[in-house]
Amino acid sequence: EQSPSTKAKLRKELDLGEFRKIVRRKHNLKKLQEKLSSVEQSQVELKSAESKVEAAKSHYLSSFKSVDLLVDTSPVKVGSSPIKRSQLKPTALFLTPAQSMLSPRKVMMTTQITQPKEYVSPRKLLDEVGSLLAMSPSKRYSALVDSKTLPLPLKYRVLDELFKALETVSSMMFTRKEKITFNKLKRGIQQMTRKNFTELHLAQIKTVVPDFFKYALVKSPKEKSSYELVITPNYGSVNEDNIDLIEQTTQRKKTFSNALLEILKEHHKEYLSKLIPPIVIDKDKITRWHPEFDVETVEDIIPSMLPKIEINKPKIVTAKDLLDKSHALFVYNNRLNRTLSTMNNGNKNLTEKKFPTTDAKNALKGALKGIPNSFLLRIQEKQAEKAKELMTRSVGQLDEDRMMNRLPDIARRIRTYFVQLQRNVMPFKKVIGQLKQSYPEAMTDQEWKAHLNLLQEKVPHWIVLKSLDGIEHIRIDKKVEFEETVIKTLTK
């Protein structure tokens, strides 16, 4: 505390009149304002630093004295009894002199673990399930479901997968400068793809891309009388050390897939040329196959010749060859002879079976009797134009067609939901949540919004999307005749 004399002195020194004179000077006033603004700015920075410290404290771990760990046990050890905490001592890990005197049989009886009767590894179960689903219809026609690219048949897709595995295995062996034999390739490819890889697949790959590999027969170093098929990748460069294998393999895989697509386009072009009237279209503009073109019935790729040793001995390939060879030994067995004769007759019937094209044409002519040819030609031309338009549609148009096919069902579900709740306006998210529960197809929120926007575009007099207080809502007009106006407009 200050004395009265000092207070009086300070009052005399800090006279208000003198203070006003000092402040009224321009340069002193500016300095004071700058100091005040700096003080305010420092207060704001202090508050922001305090808020950051408080936010950082919420992310810190709270103090703890112990840590509990949950350790999963293997399926084999599920039946074993748990070890008590009191037994987890260093002395419990070693046998005492009294325990070491016990016989091994008693020790085994005391430490025996009860295991399940039979344990199958998850890997084997997955392999069995994969083999069961290998030729299922869902996998066979998976490429036809909402595919944005031209779908390939199953046999072409399997060959493409085998070629990708072949490229991977051969590039790895090429970097190690190892001799690439067919048996080594087969083992590696089958481990990667879980599919059989035969010489037929290799011959088909040679047909599709004949310049990618070099094939040669070399004597086996282990057995001098036998030969091995050696495959050497052809990367098209003289210096093997300067090859970028990653870029080369990716480019070769793309080239192979494009070559398969070109082969299928040739089959499609041949199919279009046989139609009445024939459709002529550039194969590069095709975005979709003809609706009646069955992709899965396309012919197999003709295999090329691989280098083989010609042996004079007859080679048994099929069961029929074995039966023909053993026919002389079982001449007197009538039952076996009957089996052979029935099998030969069945093969003849299979080879001689033809599609009744002439009968179908005659039946069609009889059904169309009396109809003028000019009218039939106009119908066929319209069908050809429609098919041509379908095959050259863009991806956006195909997506819009799929959405238009879904709109009538979606409109019915929306109307039912509004009628049940007896409302005209509902929040957008609530309507989408109800549609997700009832609609059979799974779609994201963005896809649902695209469908509802298209629905508003097609029938604006029935449904309207509006935002109220920043929240999107859907309003429908129940007075509109639904079936006669809305559904007819959507199904045109």
Side-chain angles (χ1 to χ4, degrees):
E1 294 181 358
Q2 297 174 352
S3 61
S5 60
T6 56
K7 287 181 179 178
K9 287 180 181 179
L10 288 171
R11 283 175 184 170
K12 287 181 180 179
E13 291 175 357
L14 298 172
D15 191 9
L16 291 175
E18 293 179 359
F19 182 74
R20 284 185 194 133
K21 290 178 182 178
I22 294 166
V23 169
R24 281 176 182 175
R25 294 174 187 173
K26 290 183 180 179
H27 60 276
N28 292 335
L29 182 62
K30 287 181 180 178
K31 287 181 181 178
L32 184 63
Q33 287 176 352
E34 288 175 359
K35 288 180 180 180
L36 288 172
S37 62
S38 64
V39 169
E40 289 177 357
Q41 188 177 359
S42 61
Q43 286 179 353
V44 172
E45 289 177 355
L46 180 64
K47 287 181 181 179
S48 65
E50 288 177 354
S51 63
K52 287 180 181 179
V53 170
E54 292 295 330
K57 283 181 180 179
S58 62
H59 296 290
Y60 292 159
L61 286 173
S62 58
S63 61
F64 53 87
K65 296 180 180 179
S66 62
V67 179
D68 296 333
L69 299 175
L70 294 175
V71 181
D72 295 334
T73 56
S74 63
V76 180
K77 297 179 182 178
V78 172
S80 61
S81 60
I83 300 171
K84 295 180 180 178
R85 193 184 184 89
S86 60
Q87 294 178 359
L88 293 173
K89 297 177 181 178
T91 56
L93 300 174
F94 304 98
L95 294 174
T96 60
Q99 289 175 343
S100 61
M101 296 298 292
L102 293 173
S103 64
R105 185 174 181 183
K106 287 185 178 179
V107 173
M108 291 295 293
M109 290 291 287
T110 55
T111 61
Q112 188 177 8
I113 298 171
T114 58
Q115 295 183 358
K117 293 182 181 180
E118 187 177 357
Y119 171 70
V120 182
S121 66
R123 185 175 179 179
K124 289 183 180 178
L125 289 173
L126 286 172
D127 291 343
E128 290 178 5
V129 172
S131 62
L132 289 172
L133 297 176
M135 294 301 291
S136 61
S138 61
K139 188 172 182 180
R140 186 177 179 184
Y141 297 102
S142 61
L144 302 176
V145 181
D146 290 340
S147 176
K148 293 185 179 180
T149 58
L150 290 169
L152 295 173
L154 179 65
K155 47 197 171 186
Y156 282 28
R157 281 182 276 133
V158 169
L159 192 64
D160 190 19
E161 185 181 356
L162 291 173
F163 176 77
K164 288 176 181 176
L166 170 64
E167 273 293 310
T168 305
V169 175
S170 62
S171 62
M172 290 168 63
M173 296 173 77
F174 184 79
T175 50
R176 295 196 296 259
K177 295 182 180 180
E178 186 179 348
K179 186 170 72 172
I180 307 170
T181 60
F182 175 74
N183 292 328
K184 291 180 183 178
L185 276 177
K186 181 179 179 181
R187 199 181 308 118
I189 291 167
Q190 290 184 164
Q191 285 178 359
M192 285 181 66
T193 60
R194 302 288 176 186
K195 291 182 176 63
N196 288 328
F197 183 72
T198 60
E199 291 184 2
L200 177 64
H201 294 119
L202 189 63
Q204 287 177 338
I205 288 169
K206 186 181 178 183
T207 304
V208 179
V209 280
D211 301 331
F212 276 16
F213 297 97
K214 295 177 183 178
Y215 309 90
L217 277 176
V218 180
K219 280 189 177 182
S220 177
K222 296 180 180 179
E223 298 179 6
K224 293 183 180 180
S225 60
S226 62
Y227 287 81
E228 291 179 339
L229 180 62
V230 178
I231 298 104
T232 309
N234 182 18
Y235 293 115
S237 62
V238 179
N239 192 359
E240 295 180 356
D241 298 329
N242 297 330
I243 297 172
D244 188 3
L245 280 178
I246 297 173
E247 186 179 353
Q248 286 280 348
T249 50
T250 51
Q251 187 63 34
R252 284 156 69 96
K253 287 174 184 177
K254 287 180 182 177
T255 306
F256 187 82
S257 301
N258 293 333
L260 286 176
L261 188 61
E262 288 296 324
I263 292 170
L264 195 59
K265 281 183 179 179
E266 290 295 329
H267 288 293
H268 184 252
K269 185 178 179 182
E270 186 181 352
Y271 172 78
L272 293 178
S273 63
K274 293 180 181 178
L275 293 175
I276 302 174
I279 299 174
V280 180
I281 186 172
D282 189 6
K283 61 182 181 180
D284 295 330
K285 295 181 179 179
I286 292 175
T287 58
R288 191 177 179 183
W289 302 124
H290 192 275
E292 296 178 3
F293 178 64
D294 193 358
V295 178
E296 296 297 330
T297 57
V298 174
E299 296 178 357
D300 293 341
I301 296 170
I302 301 169
S304 299
M305 290 296 295
L306 295 174
K308 286 187 178 181
I309 306 167
E310 294 182 359
I311 303 172
N312 295 326
K313 293 180 181 180
K315 194 174 181 181
I316 297 170
V317 179
T318 61
K320 184 178 179 299
D321 297 338
L322 182 63
L323 290 172
D324 291 337
K325 190 173 179 62
S326 60
H327 181 69
L329 300 174
F330 300 97
V331 173
Y332 299 103
N333 191 344
N334 295 326
R335 188 174 294 175
L336 183 62
N337 288 331
R338 282 200 299 271
T339 305
L340 283 169
S341 61
T342 53
M343 190 173 71
N344 289 328
N345 292 331
N347 289 334
K348 287 179 182 178
N349 291 332
L350 284 173
T351 54
E352 292 175 1
K353 187 177 180 180
K354 295 181 180 179
F355 294 102
T357 54
T358 56
D359 296 340
K361 285 181 180 178
N362 293 330
L364 186 63
K365 285 180 181 178
L368 298 175
K369 193 175 181 180
I371 300 173
N373 292 328
S374 59
F375 181 68
L376 293 174
L377 286 172
R378 270 184 282 159
I379 292 173
Q380 288 174 351
E381 286 174 0
K382 284 184 180 180
Q383 288 178 346
E385 288 177 2
K386 191 175 181 181
K388 191 174 180 179
E389 184 188 355
L390 284 172
M391 287 186 286
T392 55
R393 280 190 177 181
S394 62
V395 178
Q397 289 174 340
L398 292 174
D399 291 339
E400 189 176 346
D401 291 342
R402 294 192 194 99
M403 291 167 67
M404 285 299 300
N405 291 331
R406 298 189 189 108
L407 284 185
D409 192 14
I410 291 172
R412 286 192 179 95
R413 292 172 191 274
I414 291 172
R415 183 177 179 275
T416 304
Y417 184 48
F418 275 80
V419 168
Q420 284 178 352
L421 296 178
Q422 296 180 357
R423 291 185 184 178
N424 293 335
V425 182
M426 290 283 290
F428 181 77
K429 290 183 178 179
K430 198 170 183 181
V431 176
I432 285 181
Q434 185 66 25
L435 288 171
K436 282 182 180 179
Q437 293 179 3
S438 61
Y439 198 69
E441 291 186 38
M443 290 189 287
T444 60
D445 292 346
Q446 293 179 353
E447 291 175 343
W448 279 114
K449 191 169 184 179
H451 281 77
L452 293 177
N453 286 333
L454 184 62
L455 186 63
Q456 183 186 7
E457 184 182 343
K458 297 297 178 184
V459 281
H461 59 280
W462 179 69
I463 186 169
V464 178
L465 275 71
K466 284 187 177 182
S467 60
L468 302 173
D469 297 333
I471 300 170
E472 285 187 312
H473 286 72
I474 298 174
R475 183 179 65 81
I476 66 167
D477 189 2
K478 293 182 182 178
K479 296 179 181 178
V480 175
E481 294 182 359
F482 184 73
E483 291 291 336
E484 294 183 0
T485 58
V486 178
I487 299 299
K488 280 186 179 180
T489 306
L490 295 175
T491 54
K492 277 183 181 179

